[in-house]
Structure formats: C-alpha cells, structure tokens
Amino acid sequence: MTARQVLRWTALAAGTVLFLYPFVWLLSASVKPRAQVFDNLLIPRTWAWDNYVEIWRAAPVAAWLLNSVVVSLAGAVAVTLTSSLVAFGFAYFRFPGRSAFFGLVLATMMLPAAVTMIPVYLIWNSVGLAHTQVPLWAGNLFGSAFYIFLLRQFFLGLPREVFEAARVDGANHWTLFWRIAVPLCRPALIVSFVFELKAGWSDLLKPLIYLRDPALYTLPRGLKALSDQFGQAGEQRWEIVLAGSVITTVPLLIVFFVAQRHFLAGITTEGPKASR
C-alpha cells in the first residue's frame, strides 16, 4: 500500500469517526440512567433500557410515528410526481419562452421561507385546514423548483430519438413520460423521493405552526413537546428525550440503507452539460 493510499484511508476513517460519533453518543446516552447521561462514556456503566419503555408510557409515540409516516410519504410522493411532470415538460416540449419560464421557476428558490409563511398560513386558514395535517404535505402538490431542476437535467440526458420512435408507434405524451422517461430516470426520482422524505420526516417548523392537537403531532413536534416536558425547562430527564431522538432517527437510517444503491447512483450521475 502506497503512502497516498494510507493517507486516503486514514482521512476516510477520520471522517467516518467524526460523523458517526454524535449518533453513537446518542445511542449510548439513551440507555443510561439520568445521572450518567452526560458522562461522555460511549459504553454505559449502567444500562437503563427502561428509558425506551418509559417514553412509550409518557407519550403517544406510536401515533406520532404513524403521523410522521403518513405526512412524509404523502409529501414525498406528491413532490416527486408533480416535479417530474413539470421537469419532463421543460425537457421534452419546445415552446416560446421555455427558458424564461424555467428561469422564473428557479427564481422561486431565492424566496426565503419566512416571506411566504404568513400568506400560506392565511390561505390554509381561509379554507379551514390550518390546524390539520394537510398543510404539512399538500403544498408539495405544486412541485418544487429544486427537484424540477434536478429532474430536468436527467430528462435532458435521455436520447430524443427514443421518444420520437415511440411517437411514430402511436404513444401519447403520458406514455412517453410514464413508460419511457420515468423508468430511465429512476435513480433521480429516488433521490428526489428520499430527499423530500427526509425533509418531511425531520420538519419541525410546519408542525409548530399548524398542529395544535397532540394526537396529530408528528415525531419532531412530539419530540419538542417531550423536550419541553422532560428537558431544560421540565423535569431534567434527558434520557427520555434522547430515547425519543433515537426513535426519530432510526427510520431514516433504514430508508437510506434500503434505497442506498439507487440513491447513490442518482446523486453521482452527472446531467448533460447543455440542453438539447
């Protein structure tokens, strides 16, 4: 092994330890008794598995988990489907002003979320849905500029001759999209889906704004409630809060490992250098 390879593997090992240490510490602290939570030992002197039993007793974690699954899946499916439709339209169709319209779509990424927060809330409140789970995911039905840009680059990389041959065989535009473009760009669609799934799963701001009923809480909102009850301003039972953090984190790790091959393929594939 050469010196360059040794240096490379050393750097990779150091980076791995750097990224894994916080999660390993979280796992360790979540199974410690209250007095030992912050002793910084990765192997607990005393194991307190009852922390995970206590959190299920202290809060409706199962309901919060189900709410998070429903909201994050609905948002991920909605934004992936709608963004891919818009992206395919920008990539395949030729019409006057296409570049200008696409530029306007990308310009929406420059708007901070705080600018639209109040108007969006007023819209949901006017239709009577402000205190439901609908605002947490329904906005994704209108697509996302980031995912539209990402997917358009993949669609532009597909040979146009394939679509023209399908048109000669009688395929309509929906068939071109669903039967040809979607299968060929599956890695990019999986990347969009996983990104939005992660965003929806870990989102705290929207649940804080819209959710009032504890039965409707998602896991991040429920974890905030647990932090208020057992954390700094509460009973100082950080082991309960940390156990809740582990329960919130583990499902995302499972999703990543299941979709890892397609996910990595999607983020490492380069789009074309110029539009066709």
Side-chain angles (χ1 to χ4, degrees):
M1 183 178 292
T2 64
R4 178 176 297 181
Q5 290 175 322
V6 171
L7 182 62
R8 179 187 305 168
W9 284 107
T10 302
L12 289 174
T16 301
V17 171
L18 181 65
F19 280 95
L20 283 180
Y21 177 79
F23 183 66
V24 174
W25 183 93
L26 175 65
L27 289 175
S28 174
S30 69
V31 292
K32 292 179 181 179
R34 185 187 312 184
Q36 301 175 19
V37 169
F38 297 107
D39 61 9
N40 286 325
L41 295 177
L42 294 183
I43 301 178
R45 295 193 299 270
T46 305
W47 297 84
W49 296 103
D50 288 346
N51 293 341
Y52 286 92
V53 177
E54 182 63 27
I55 190 175
W56 288 91
R57 293 175 178 171
V61 177
W64 296 348
L65 182 62
L66 179 61
N67 292 337
S68 286
V69 170
V70 171
V71 168
S72 57
L73 280 178
V77 171
V79 82
T80 302
L81 179 60
T82 55
S83 297
S84 61
L85 283 168
V86 177
F88 180 74
F90 278 120
Y92 178 78
F93 295 105
R94 303 292 185 263
F95 54 90
R98 183 182 68 156
S99 298
F101 282 117
F102 185 64
L104 288 175
V105 171
L106 295 184
T108 62
M109 297 173 62
M110 301 175 63
L111 288 174
V115 173
T116 59
M117 188 182 302
I118 295 177
V120 170
Y121 177 86
L122 294 176
I123 291 173
W124 288 117
N125 189 57
S126 66
V127 296
L129 296 174
H131 301 305
T132 69
Q133 294 177 350
V134 174
L136 305 186
W137 63 269
N140 288 349
L141 292 172
F142 302 96
S144 164
F146 173 74
Y147 299 128
I148 290 171
F149 170 76
L150 173 68
L151 295 170
R152 175 181 176 269
Q153 294 305 107
F154 275 80
F155 288 138
L156 285 173
L158 302 179
R160 193 169 183 84
E161 294 77 12
V162 175
F163 297 103
E164 298 303 328
R167 291 287 291 168
V168 171
D169 291 337
N172 56 30
H173 292 139
W174 174 255
T175 301
L176 296 181
F177 168 74
W178 191 251
R179 302 294 294 273
I180 298 177
V182 168
L184 292 176
C185 291
R186 184 177 301 170
L189 295 172
I190 292 176
V191 168
S192 301
F193 180 85
V194 173
F195 274 178
E196 189 59 30
L197 189 71
K198 182 265 178 189
W201 185 271
S202 58
D203 183 29
L204 175 60
L205 182 60
K206 287 182 182 178
L208 278 174
I209 294 174
Y210 292 104
L211 300 183
R212 298 291 182 269
D213 185 358
L216 298 178
Y217 283 0
T218 58
L219 274 175
R221 180 64 183 91
L223 190 61
K224 174 64 169 61
L226 287 175
S227 178
D228 293 339
Q229 179 180 353
F230 296 111
Q232 188 66 36
E235 302 175 20
Q236 299 289 314
R237 299 186 62 186
W238 285 106
E239 70 278 7
I240 303 298
V241 178
L242 295 174
S245 300
V246 172
I247 294 173
T248 304
T249 304
V250 167
L252 280 182
L253 295 178
I254 295 174
V255 169
F256 175 77
F257 281 113
V258 170
Q260 179 178 239
R261 180 169 60 90
H262 298 289
F263 181 75
L264 294 178
I267 63 176
T268 55
T269 302
E270 295 184 0
K273 303 302 181 183
S275 62
R276 295 174 181 266

